Amino acid sequence: MAELTYRDAVSRALAQEMRRDERVVLIGEDVAGAGGVFKTTVGLLDEFGPRRVVDTPISEQAILGAAMGAAMTGLRPVAEIMFSDFFAVCWDIVANQMAKARYMTDGQVSVPLVIKSGNGGGLRFGAQHSQAIENWAMAVPGLKVVTPSTPRDVVGLMAAAIRSDDPVLFFEAKGLYPTKGEVPDGEIVDRLGTAAIRRPGRHATLVALGLTVPRALRAAEDLATRGIDVEVIDVRSLVPLDTATILASVARTGRFFTVEENPRLLGWGAELASIVVEEAFWDLDGPIERITTPHVPLPSADSLEDLVLPSAERIAATIEKALQQ
Amino acid sequence: MTALRPHRHRDSPRVRRRARDWGVELGELVGTGPGGRVTEEDLRAATAAAPPTASAAALVPAGGIAAVQIALPSGSSIDRPALVATVAVAALAALRRRGVMVSAVGRTALERTAVVDGAHDLTADALRRRLADDPPDAPCHVRVVDAGEVDAQVGLPRPGERAVLAVGGVRESVAVERGPDGMVAFVARASVTITIATEPQVPEFVSAFVLRQVARALTSA
């Protein structure tokens, strides 16, 4: 058992899989010599050499085009898009090519690749380098969408993503890179489509993802001091989605809340709310509420960014008020 | 007659369902929740004062065979495949809600078994669509038997199955009803008997819950 940071867990995960399978290669801007702009690929060039850890020019389309070609011809690449905001210049290849290749070729071609990307805010990077875009990604059929919230999950979910035979968008919560957690020794492989109950509770179900998981847990601890017992679920994987764990929790607690970093309109919590209403309406003991970033470009000013991202205080206040109404 | 408080459906879906399950008239209760809403505790207090009439729960022995007769909505014209599919979907959703993982569900006409892989990941609508298809045979955890005209008779679960649900034939009977104006009328009532047989490890409250869910699905169809 070792204590690792979230950022070190990324390179630990990549090394685990690259040692196991020589078809796993890493490609992206500054992933080799520089060890990644967020230092998530440190040491990989030294261990695996320049044929398996490849620096590219500043061209997101070239990175993903090369990765897709490699995946179609037998490798299992991990491509890095430095900031997830840059997916905006990649959607043709991601949404029209990678996600559809299996279907357009009558199942003859699969695209086993992972696109890892720093996602979300909290680091004062401004509106073009801070977006949480998992809701863009989950709108495209054919893509899997994963966001770990702990160093252990970074390793386990990355391993599962690399072993998936279909494209996986692996969003690393930028705000969590310096956070630490215990990671067991030895190989760790998780399963996509499984949520984790981080804290059991009786009065409300609070579903969080990535950056909002530790905030949800802090809110739950705060509420516990006032007699409100909140169950916190870490979704971990939006596609595939573990509806069974979520619905079973709602059946127990009767109340459902989401806390999302993405802007409000059509955030992932809206889809979950829709599923809960359809599948667990008669278990609900009050209205569903979503706690989100408002529908604004993320401000770069410290005070404003802190204001719009869901804080532990806002989460706790929202739930407490809702349970009193 | 008890004066009913104005009832504007401020009570939550959960409380309304519990009230129906436990035979409590919501309008007769004084709610202690926010805004005068009835809470689960209010319902518990009400049922403690006057225990509910026989519910599915009372009929279900642990790990045994239990049956409920469900009155179908008047004028309903549920065809057999739709009836069996509705039972299957309701049973699956109920088991899932009780934390029983179900990897497949059967839809049979006695000898024919259809299996849906990964059923626990599907929404109810998706499951209905999948049940309409004809997937290949495979072991399943819950078998739904179309007992048809022979009425609800069911064997015990086979190895690997958690439960068997048998859907009996739709029976029609004649009943006498008195309308609000005092007029007496003869009406035809349709009902169906659903039987559940579970393996011994399945707790009785799960069986009871499944039967209630099935009854609800059929009466709201």
Side-chain angles (χ1 to χ4, degrees):
Chain A
M1 186 81 79
E3 187 172 67
L4 287 185
T5 60
Y6 188 100
R7 85 171 78 245
D8 290 341
V10 177
S11 53
R12 151 95 187 262
L14 293 169
Q16 171 187 303
E17 293 304 293
M18 291 177 82
R19 284 177 203 132
R20 179 188 63 84
D21 184 347
E22 64 180 13
R23 295 171 301 170
V24 179
V25 298
L26 176 65
I27 174 172
E29 237 180 279
D30 288 335
V31 296
V37 69
F38 296 116
K39 300 297 175 194
T40 61
T41 58
V42 172
L44 299 177
L45 175 66
D46 291 342
E47 180 172 354
F48 300 103
R51 285 180 57 80
R52 295 181 66 192
V53 182
V54 182
D55 270 335
T56 67
I58 304 180
S59 170
E60 283 75 19
Q61 292 105 318
I63 295 168
L64 295 188
M68 183 177 177
M72 291 171 77
T73 50
L75 297 181
R76 300 183 83 87
V78 177
E80 179 174 291
I81 296 297
M82 198 180 277
F83 289 80
S84 64
D85 312 67
F86 307 159
F87 269 90
V89 294
C90 304
W91 281 122
D92 180 57
I93 195 159
V94 175
N96 283 329
Q97 310 306 328
M98 290 174 180
K100 310 292 194 293
R102 179 185 290 286
Y103 303 85
M104 299 305 288
T105 62
D106 194 22
Q108 297 176 82
V109 171
S110 60
V111 183
L113 61 74
V114 176
I115 308 175
K116 73 186 274 304
S117 193
N119 185 56
L123 300 179
R124 324 309 190 197
F125 283 153
Q128 295 168 324
H129 295 76
S130 300
Q131 295 172 84
I133 68 147
E134 53 274 351
N135 58 329
W136 299 1
M138 70 186 290
V140 180
L143 300 177
K144 296 178 182 176
V145 183
V146 175
T147 297
S149 75
T150 68
R152 189 222 164 278
D153 278 4
V154 167
V155 181
L157 292 173
M158 177 65 90
I162 289 172
R163 297 179 194 198
S164 162
D165 286 333
D166 288 300
V168 180
L169 272 51
F170 189 89
F171 291 120
E172 297 157 13
K174 288 204 294 288
L176 296 181
Y177 277 139
T179 58
K180 291 181 178 173
E182 296 288 338
V183 180
D185 298 328
E187 184 178 85
I188 305 173
V189 186
D190 221 313
R191 200 155 67 85
L192 303 184
T194 53
I197 298 176
R198 297 290 182 206
R199 181 191 193 283
R202 293 168 296 137
H203 298 147
T205 298
L206 173 60
V207 180
L209 178 79
L211 180 75
T212 64
V213 173
R215 295 175 183 214
L217 287 168
R218 279 204 302 279
E221 293 307 319
D222 177 32
L223 288 167
T225 64
R226 298 197 288 286
I228 298 172
D229 190 16
V230 175
E231 179 148 303
V232 177
I233 295 179
D234 180 353
V235 190
R236 308 199 313 158
S237 167
L238 289 171
V239 183
L241 179 67
D242 181 0
T243 54
T245 295
I246 295 166
L247 292 170
S249 176
V250 175
R252 283 192 299 274
T253 67
R255 294 303 295 261
F256 184 69
F257 300 85
T258 64
V259 54
E260 307 157 52
E261 191 186 350
N262 54 212
R264 184 169 187 82
L265 299 192
L266 299 177
W268 57 260
E271 183 57 34
L272 264 64
S274 157
I275 291 169
V276 167
V277 166
E278 187 178 345
E279 296 276 329
F281 179 78
W282 295 105
D283 291 318
L284 286 171
D285 206 19
I288 291 173
E289 283 197 42
R290 295 173 53 217
I291 302 151
T292 71
T293 302
H295 197 64
V296 295
L298 210 68
S300 46
D302 297 12
S303 56
L304 292 178
E305 188 179 38
D306 290 342
L307 185 69
V308 296
L309 290 176
S311 63
E313 293 71 28
R314 175 146 67 99
I315 297 164
T318 305
I319 293 175
E320 187 167 21
K321 186 175 172 200
L323 293 185
Q324 287 166 350
Q325 283 174 343
Chain B
M1 186 174 169
T2 315
L4 301 184
R5 74 193 163 99
H7 202 69
R8 296 179 55 216
H9 291 298
R10 282 273 294 157
D11 301 316
S12 74
R14 189 183 185 93
V15 161
R16 281 146 64 188
R17 187 178 73 178
R18 291 263 190 282
R20 192 160 77 174
D21 287 348
W22 297 347
V24 178
E25 173 53 60
L26 277 173
E28 293 175 359
L29 298 184
V30 177
T32 62
R37 278 187 288 136
V38 173
T39 65
E40 268 191 89
E41 285 64 40
D42 296 333
L43 286 180
R44 273 182 226 286
T47 52
T53 51
S55 68
L59 303 171
V60 181
I65 297 175
V68 284
Q69 192 177 56
I70 297 160
L72 297 172
S74 58
S76 65
S77 56
I78 303 173
D79 63 14
R80 299 292 307 164
L83 191 69
V84 175
T86 304
V87 169
V89 169
L92 184 84
L95 286 165
R96 189 167 57 187
R97 198 171 282 131
R98 284 291 154 193
V100 177
M101 291 303 289
V102 182
S103 64
V105 66
R107 175 185 59 127
T108 76
L110 290 178
E111 76 287 350
R112 196 162 65 89
T113 300
V115 168
V116 179
D117 287 326
H120 61 277
D121 281 338
L122 300 175
T123 64
D125 270 352
L127 187 65
R128 275 188 204 98
R129 285 194 293 276
R130 289 278 289 279
L131 283 167
D133 299 338
D134 223 356
D137 284 4
C140 62
H141 289 182
V142 176
R143 187 156 44 100
V144 180
V145 179
D146 183 349
E149 295 308 310
V150 297
D151 212 346
Q153 292 189 3
V154 63
L156 291 168
R158 303 176 193 142
E161 291 177 348
R162 305 298 300 269
V164 182
L165 273 164
V167 184
V170 176
R171 290 173 176 276
E172 290 207 321
S173 56
V174 177
V176 181
E177 256 183 19
R178 192 180 296 275
D181 54 359
M183 293 288 285
V184 171
F186 293 99
V187 295
R189 279 209 184 120
S191 66
V192 63
T193 300
I194 309 292
T195 308
I196 187 169
T198 61
E199 64 169 1
Q201 292 90 333
V202 176
E204 69 187 69
F205 75 87
V206 172
S207 303
F209 188 70
V210 169
L211 285 180
R212 282 202 302 273
Q213 294 289 304
V214 167
R216 179 170 304 111
L218 291 179
T219 51
S220 63

